[in-house]
Structure formats: C-alpha cells, structure tokens
Amino acid sequence: MTKKYDVIVIGAGPAGMTAALYASRAELSVLMLDRGVYGGQMNNTAEIENYTGFKSILGPDLSEKMYESSTQFGVEYAYGEVTRIELAGDQKIVHTAEDQFEAPAVIIGSGSEYRKLGVPGEDEYGGRGVSYCAVCDGAFFKNEDVVVVGGGDSAVQEATYLANLAKKVTVVHRRDQLRAQKILQERAFARDNIEFVWNSNVTEILGDGKKVSGVALKNNQTGATSELPTAGVFVYVGILPITEAFKDLGITDEQGWILTNDEMETNVPGIFAVGDVRKKHLRQITTAVGDGGVAGQAVFDYVESVKSK
C-alpha cells in the first residue's frame, strides 16, 4: 500500500535533514528516506571545526544533534534505497526495493560517495586493508605504516587523523603540491610521522591474498616504478554523485550531478535537489545546510500551489 506525504526527502545528510526540518516546521507531512545511518559523510569525519556554533565537534555527534533537531516536528524516518522516481501528474511515486511512497514534492539529498582508484587489488582487498574512511578503520592500523592517496582536504585531514594512530603515514599525490586548505597542509607538514610522495600514482594494491602488503607506484614525471610496503591504503581521490536512480528524469549533467536553480528546483516541477548531489563549487556542511533551508521553504510554496489547484 502506497503511503502518501506532502514531501519526501531522499537522503538524511545535513542538507536532507535541514530540508526536512524546514518543511515539517511549516506543518507539511514529511518522510525522510536514507539507505544508511543518518548523517551521511559526517559520520566518516573525525573532527569538524568549520561549522558555525561549534569550535570543534565529532562528525557522528553533529549527526546525532542534527537528527534530533530535524525530527522534532513530526518527520518520519525510514530506511530504504530509492530505485526510481515515477512521475504521475502532480504526484511523484518514490520506489524503493521493498516499498513505494507518494508525494507532490521530492527533495533529493542523496549525496555523494568516494571515487575509487580503479586499480588491480582495490576491490580484492576492500575491507582487508583498503578503506575510504579513516575514522571507521583507522584503529585497525595502530602502530602500522599506512598510505593515504590524494591531496585534497579530505586526504590531508584524514592523514593527520591517522598520524595519531599509525606509526607512519605516507601521502601519495599525483601532483607536486597539495590542493588542501593551507591550514590543513600546515598541520600535516608539522607532523613528524607524515611523509609525502609527489608526482606519483598508485598503479596496484598489493597483498598476500589475505590482506594488503603494499602499493605499486609510478612516477608520472619520470616513469620510474617502485613498491611501498604498507598495512593499509586510505583512498581520497574525489567524489561521485549518488544519482543512478534519477538518471531517467533528465535532471543531471553528463557526470551525474543534479542541476538546479537558486531555489534548489530542478527542471522537473516538484523535484528539488540539495547538498553534495548538486552541481556546485563548494561542498561543505555549511553549504548543504543552506541548500536545505532554501529547499524547505521553496517546497512549501510548491505544495501549497498544488493543493490550491
């Protein structure tokens, strides 16, 4: 039996939770769906120090606070991986693997996921030394040597976090300088147990059949190859939008990012998008929360217009 709501929010990250808060506070009936635990990428972040109101807070703790706030006005929360959205006049039917839900408005905040290296050994040793979450798996590598692949904010921040646990952290970056914020770079450079390998790509993740034992490297300037022993490989080489379920709606660009206007509206009336899933320059908790607030207000106006027909 299809359950009906005014608004269905897909994704319970900071953007989705804020959108749900605003919409429910406007006395709309709201369902918030997520395929995992609420909080999204915040749960994979050890320490957040650039979210206004908190000098420093653990990612999972901020997730919990946002969830408590977002559900205070009656938002229903359910687990479910969305497989597609069906358009039926003014109504949108959201299909999951087991259920379907209906509403005139949908806010997509499905977020993004870490990009893989796509090299031999990566899938084979997933969960056996290959990780995309230092907070989740760092404790398994106490007093071991580990490798972090990447040079952006996430790579450098998580390398610094791992330096508190590991014997040595080696950051492998394809360029000759980091792309991370200067303050993050300075912290990493100041750590005695963080080293850097520049202008290099990981070409294979090596192992003994049971767990990771090292990485194969190639210098992209000289062509020289080498092997670096390591117990763990943490990959931070970019993100991809989680939009496979929405590709048939015609709301994404070639890379899969959802296109919206300033009101978070897509080109399909009644479908909005917020947070990391949108095509935009800066993807942070602050910008996700801003998106959610705008969409939460815009969706109220849209639902009211549908009801008045």
Side-chain angles (χ1 to χ4, degrees):
M1 186 174 182
T2 303
K3 293 191 68 176
K4 296 183 179 182
Y5 300 86
D6 293 323
V7 185
I8 297 171
V9 179
I10 300 171
M17 287 193 286
T18 304
L21 168 63
Y22 271 68
S24 61
R25 191 169 181 268
E27 299 190 345
L28 299 179
S29 60
V30 181
L31 172 69
M32 185 163 57
L33 281 170
D34 200 286
R35 63 178 186 170
V37 65
Y38 50 81
Q41 297 286 11
M42 291 191 296
N43 290 308
N44 300 331
T45 305
E47 188 176 11
I48 296 167
E49 57 183 16
N50 59 353
Y51 185 65
T52 309
F54 297 95
K55 185 176 180 180
S56 177
I57 186 170
L58 299 178
D61 289 348
L62 184 55
S63 299
E64 193 66 37
K65 289 180 181 296
M66 283 192 177
Y67 178 75
E68 291 173 359
S69 174
S70 69
T71 55
Q72 65 181 306
F73 297 109
V75 170
E76 290 187 34
Y77 179 73
Y79 290 102
E81 182 159 6
V82 174
T83 56
R84 66 188 177 96
I85 297 176
E86 177 187 349
L87 304 180
D90 287 332
Q91 299 299 305
K92 286 79 184 172
I93 302 172
V94 176
H95 296 262
T96 69
E98 298 179 351
D99 301 295
Q100 63 183 39
F101 308 93
E102 183 178 326
V106 172
I107 300 174
I108 300 172
S110 50
S112 58
E113 58 190 354
Y114 291 113
R115 184 191 300 270
K116 291 188 174 184
L117 291 172
V119 300
E122 184 175 18
D123 290 335
E124 179 182 355
Y125 292 106
R128 294 188 290 163
V130 175
S131 174
Y132 307 86
C133 177
V135 177
C136 308
D137 301 325
F140 295 118
F141 300 93
K142 286 184 178 180
N143 301 316
E144 302 265 19
D145 291 348
V146 298
V147 166
V148 171
V149 186
D153 285 356
S154 294
V156 176
Q157 189 171 24
E158 300 313 306
T160 305
Y161 170 79
L162 287 166
N164 296 317
L165 301 168
K167 180 180 179 181
K168 183 177 75 171
V169 179
T170 302
V171 177
V172 177
H173 187 38
R174 61 179 179 170
R175 296 176 176 149
D176 61 359
Q177 59 183 359
L178 300 173
R179 295 179 291 109
Q181 299 175 58
K182 291 297 182 183
I183 189 171
L184 299 179
Q185 293 189 39
E186 290 167 2
R187 290 174 185 169
F189 291 141
R191 299 299 293 260
D192 292 336
N193 62 336
I194 298 181
E195 299 181 359
F196 296 84
V197 176
W198 305 106
N199 296 317
S200 296
N201 298 89
V202 172
T203 57
E204 184 177 358
I205 295 174
L206 309 171
D208 60 7
K210 296 181 179 180
K211 60 183 180 179
V212 167
S213 62
V215 292
L217 302 176
K218 182 176 182 179
N219 186 291
N220 54 44
Q221 302 296 308
T222 67
T225 59
S226 61
E227 292 185 2
L228 177 65
T230 186
V233 182
F234 292 83
V235 180
Y236 296 98
V237 292
I239 57 175
L240 296 170
I242 303 174
T243 54
E244 181 66 22
F246 320 119
K247 64 180 183 179
D248 294 334
L249 294 174
I251 60 176
T252 65
D253 68 4
E254 312 81 51
Q255 286 77 44
W257 301 104
I258 297 180
L259 305 173
T260 74
N261 61 16
D262 290 343
E263 297 298 310
M264 307 301 136
E265 298 170 313
T266 69
N267 59 12
V268 176
I271 296 184
F272 303 75
V274 293
D276 284 3
V277 78
R278 289 180 59 225
K279 183 175 184 178
K280 59 180 182 177
H281 176 64
L282 185 64
R283 294 183 174 89
Q284 296 283 296
I285 298 172
T286 51
T287 61
V289 166
D291 288 357
V294 172
Q297 180 59 46
V299 79
F300 172 79
D301 295 336
Y302 178 80
V303 171
E304 286 297 295
S305 70
V306 171
K307 288 181 177 179
S308 66
K309 285 185 177 180

